[in-house]
Amino acid sequence: MKGPLFYSKILLFGEYGIIKDSKGLSIPYNFFKGALKTDDNPSEDAQKSNGSLSKFADYLAEMQSDELVQFDIAALKVDVADGMYFDSSIPQGYGVGSSGALVAAIYDKYAHDKITVLENLTREKLLKLKTIFGQMESFFHGKSSGLDPLNSYLSLPILINSKDNIESTSLPTQNTEGKGAVFLLDSGMTGETAPMVQIFMEQMKQEGFRNMLKEKFIKHTDACVDHFLNGDIKGLFGHVKQLSHVVLDNFKPMIPKEFHELWKKGIETNDYYLKLCGSGGGGYILGFTEDIEKAKTSLRGHNLEVVYNF
């Protein structure tokens, strides 16, 4: 048995800011994917995933008491008892939505009266899906916005205008011949979402940090989203550079120590600009460059994965 495929995602803009109503832009990333499966001879990873699904099934059984969504828990438990697991190439703790894809797969297979991609996706339906997914994903890492599973489930770019205003959107056509690119840089270590969000929430208690978030971080994030969607590359890079600077100055705990100098080097040379991919602390780091060959030379010895060309 093998279920439909669900893909990873990349939050291009909006990490941390969307907690405080900044804009955000999340895109599907088809390089990694996962599906529900059963095998006669399961691997150790499959058995571990199966154990996790068993606990998740109990959590969903409790969750459906609040009428938001109903699942076929009996069928889910039968499948889990038969050894079902989530077979996934999505790296965990890398900021590309490994738990989101799993949540999307479970909703797709076991939710009653599910909202599907084929119907007219009104704002109300998108928000309802996001709320359901947020509750489901909270099982994996504390409070969840529900955006990762939403992206994985719909396989569409999602524009976040504010907490209560989200819509599916389309991206400017890629220029495959273009020198400019968005890329992923592998930090070589996993990051944990919950402790990073905890640090952020602690910092939010300080007035200076709150002001910086509003006046700099959110301002540049919103501008990046607008420029990106309008295909204004010159405007985009101006704000990405500012954003990279703001993150280096104010989000140091979220940037692995080994990357502080590389981060700074990008801003100083303009060869590339780095920003957080997800909550940080490890996993992938997002990079933007106007010349991918220059960035590759500058970041020699590091793994670069191009995800979008300008």
Side-chain angles (χ1 to χ4, degrees):
M1 177 192 98
K2 185 158 184 175
L5 292 171
F6 291 91
Y7 296 103
S8 52
K9 63 83 217 180
I10 294 171
L11 184 63
L12 276 188
F13 302 105
E15 70 291 348
Y16 292 108
I18 53 174
I19 298 175
K20 294 293 159 200
D21 256 8
S22 80
K23 285 191 176 186
L25 180 63
S26 184
I27 62 170
Y29 182 42
N30 298 356
F31 189 74
F32 298 119
K33 49 194 165 298
L36 292 167
K37 246 173 118 172
T38 44
D39 277 349
D40 293 335
N41 192 7
S43 66
E44 199 179 317
D45 281 352
Q47 289 171 22
K48 214 162 112 186
S49 168
N50 175 258
S52 172
L53 276 181
S54 176
K55 295 191 187 92
F56 190 38
D58 293 337
Y59 171 81
L60 295 179
E62 282 175 29
M63 181 185 142
Q64 61 182 9
S65 59
D66 69 1
E67 299 302 308
L68 180 65
V69 61
Q70 298 295 312
F71 299 100
D72 189 342
I73 299 290
L76 172 57
K77 290 197 167 179
V78 166
D79 289 343
V80 169
D82 283 344
M84 183 176 74
Y85 66 99
F86 191 59
D87 181 26
S88 167
S89 66
I90 308 169
Q92 293 189 346
Y94 259 66
V96 285
S98 54
S99 56
L102 166 58
V103 164
I106 293 287
Y107 176 85
D108 181 64
K109 188 161 187 202
Y110 299 101
H112 291 304
D113 305 324
K114 67 182 183 187
I115 296 167
T116 74
V117 192
L118 302 171
E119 57 196 90
N120 177 18
L121 286 170
T122 60
R123 202 166 98 190
E124 286 67 36
K125 284 179 185 168
L126 281 173
L127 278 173
K128 185 177 179 187
L129 265 178
K130 182 174 172 287
T131 306
I132 291 168
F133 288 150
Q135 279 201 22
M136 289 174 74
E137 199 182 31
S138 294
F139 170 78
F140 296 99
H141 46 66
K143 197 168 159 30
S144 159
S145 69
L147 268 174
D148 289 4
L150 184 65
N151 205 296
S152 190
Y153 182 65
L154 300 174
S155 234
L156 293 167
I158 305 284
L159 169 62
I160 302 109
N161 293 303
S162 65
K163 270 200 201 91
D164 303 324
N165 182 353
I166 55 172
E167 56 188 297
S168 59
T169 187
S170 55
L171 303 178
T173 311
Q174 292 199 53
N175 174 9
T176 43
E177 303 296 305
K179 285 161 75 173
V182 182
F183 61 87
L184 291 175
L185 177 66
D186 190 344
S187 74
M189 59 188 91
T190 55
E192 290 268 338
T193 300
M196 292 295 129
V197 173
Q198 190 60 45
I199 292 169
F200 174 76
M201 289 309 194
E202 278 302 310
Q203 288 176 315
M204 282 301 290
K205 292 175 183 171
Q206 300 163 23
E207 192 186 348
F209 188 85
R210 287 199 303 274
N211 289 341
M212 173 282 302
L213 199 77
K214 195 165 119 201
E215 288 157 22
K216 292 182 179 171
F217 188 83
I218 289 178
K219 185 183 110 181
H220 294 308
T221 296
D222 288 0
C224 283
V225 171
D226 291 341
H227 290 318
F228 187 90
L229 289 177
N230 292 323
D232 176 0
I233 305 308
K234 195 173 180 311
L236 172 68
F237 275 94
H239 283 284
V240 168
K241 180 176 184 173
Q242 299 288 339
L243 190 56
S244 184
H245 220 305
V246 171
V247 172
L248 184 60
D249 290 345
N250 299 282
F251 289 80
K252 274 225 167 67
M254 288 76 166
I255 304 170
K257 281 196 180 63
E258 301 82 323
F259 288 86
H260 289 183
E261 280 309 310
L262 271 187
W263 204 285
K264 201 164 141 216
K265 180 184 164 188
I267 296 167
E268 286 169 355
T269 60
N270 297 314
D271 288 353
Y272 58 86
Y273 305 122
L274 301 179
K275 65 181 286 300
L276 296 173
C277 179
S279 54
Y284 285 117
I285 292 166
L286 257 178
F288 288 75
T289 179
E290 291 184 83
D291 186 336
I292 188 63
E293 291 313 317
K294 208 185 246 185
K296 280 179 178 168
T297 306
S298 211
L299 292 163
R300 201 181 281 113
H302 290 277
N303 251 342
L304 267 59
E305 193 78 54
V306 172
V307 295
Y308 192 92
N309 286 100
F310 298 113

